[in-house]
Amino acid sequence: MQARTAARELALILFSQFDKEISQYETKEFEDIILKSVRTLTNNATEDLKVSVGHLLEMKEFIDEYEANHPTNLERPLTVSNVPVPLPMTSDMSGRIDEMIAVAEKAFVALEIAEMTTLEEKSAVKEFTLKIAEEYKKHCQEIDGYIKEFAIGWDFSRLVKIDKDIMRIASAEILYIKDAPDKVVIDEAIELAKKYSTEDSASFINGILGKIIEIKKRLN
């Protein structure tokens, strides 16, 4: 995983844990919340993996029982071991496998972000996450003002917070950090929306961020 990608995801978790106005936070508080965010990531990954292991054990039990009760093995002497038998893949089992693959991928990403953030002597992930937070802190009124302006027909206070945070992070990067291609920033914001929100949110965020790029061109 690229450091910038990890930082954007970590920034989203950081923003979700703010319990007061962004202007009231000091850099040290950002750093403390980042560490808590990493713990949140790893704890969630651990819980998801526990659920996934439970599903695996259920599937193993089903397969063992299916094999033991298959006509081929019922006809064999009790003193001999069962032989493998063809196993039909039901939609239920297939769905559970897809779920476990998704959980494993999320856990891998969480652990990779945690490693990149806490184990590196000078973490590029942590530094960039802090940079995003600091830039949003400095320009929060302008950024939220732009989002309000472009969210036509929407009450800003009623927008889903995670959607607002994704737009805040991307807007801070597009307007004030300016060291990554705008398309990359928007693409990753859309991926965060698909992962943590909805497909509809991804489309909505894409539209708003397109307007943010127009603001950037105007300001330049």
Side-chain angles (χ1 to χ4, degrees):
M1 173 182 284
Q2 299 269 342
R4 291 291 175 87
T5 300
R8 293 174 185 118
E9 184 148 353
L10 187 56
L12 182 59
I13 297 169
L14 169 67
F15 278 41
S16 74
Q17 297 192 52
F18 291 155
D19 57 7
K20 55 188 179 183
E21 290 294 324
I22 185 77
S23 60
Q24 297 178 37
Y25 285 94
E26 301 294 334
T27 299
K28 179 64 171 65
E29 291 179 280
F30 286 151
E31 292 177 345
D32 291 341
I33 299 173
I34 284 173
L35 289 177
K36 291 177 184 175
S37 299
V38 169
R39 293 193 189 102
T40 298
L41 270 175
T42 54
N43 288 340
N44 288 345
T46 299
E47 291 305 311
D48 285 345
L49 286 172
K50 286 179 181 177
V51 172
S52 185
V53 168
H55 288 329
L56 280 171
L57 291 173
E58 290 175 4
M59 291 176 68
K60 178 68 165 58
E61 182 179 358
F62 171 82
I63 291 170
D64 287 344
E65 289 184 1
Y66 183 88
E67 182 182 79
N69 294 321
H70 193 275
T72 300
N73 286 312
L74 290 176
E75 294 172 0
R76 290 168 59 80
L78 294 176
T79 55
V80 300
S81 300
N82 290 330
V83 295
V85 297
L87 179 67
M89 179 60 74
T90 66
S91 59
D92 177 61
M93 289 182 67
S94 180
R96 289 191 180 189
I97 289 172
D98 288 341
E99 179 184 335
M100 286 182 285
I101 290 171
V103 166
E105 289 175 347
K106 284 175 61 179
F108 177 76
V109 168
L111 295 172
E112 191 174 9
I113 291 173
E115 181 179 13
M116 293 173 74
T117 305
T118 59
L119 297 185
E120 293 180 10
E121 185 175 341
K122 189 175 181 182
S123 171
V125 172
K126 181 179 176 182
E127 286 186 358
F128 196 67
T129 302
L130 284 171
K131 191 171 185 179
I132 291 170
E134 292 287 0
E135 289 299 329
Y136 175 65
K137 176 183 174 180
K138 285 191 286 186
H139 303 286
C140 59
Q141 291 185 347
E142 296 98 314
I143 290 172
D144 283 1
Y146 291 138
I147 295 171
K148 288 178 187 177
E149 179 184 349
F150 299 135
I152 299 170
W154 289 87
D155 181 346
F156 181 80
S157 64
R158 300 186 67 181
L159 289 176
V160 177
K161 185 177 186 302
I162 197 166
D163 293 350
K164 286 193 285 191
D165 288 342
I166 291 170
M167 289 187 284
R168 286 164 171 163
I169 290 165
S171 297
E173 195 171 349
I174 290 168
L175 293 172
Y176 304 108
I177 298 177
K178 303 179 184 178
D179 61 357
D182 294 337
K183 185 179 185 306
V184 170
V185 177
I186 291 180
D187 285 349
E188 296 214 356
I190 291 169
E191 288 305 310
L192 284 174
K194 289 178 179 178
K195 182 174 181 180
Y196 293 107
S197 193
T198 66
E199 289 285 343
D200 289 342
S201 291
S203 177
F204 174 71
I205 287 169
N206 184 42
I208 298 291
L209 294 180
K211 298 289 187 181
I212 295 293
I213 289 176
E214 292 179 14
I215 289 291
K216 177 184 177 180
K217 292 176 181 176
R218 196 186 313 163
L219 292 176
N220 290 342

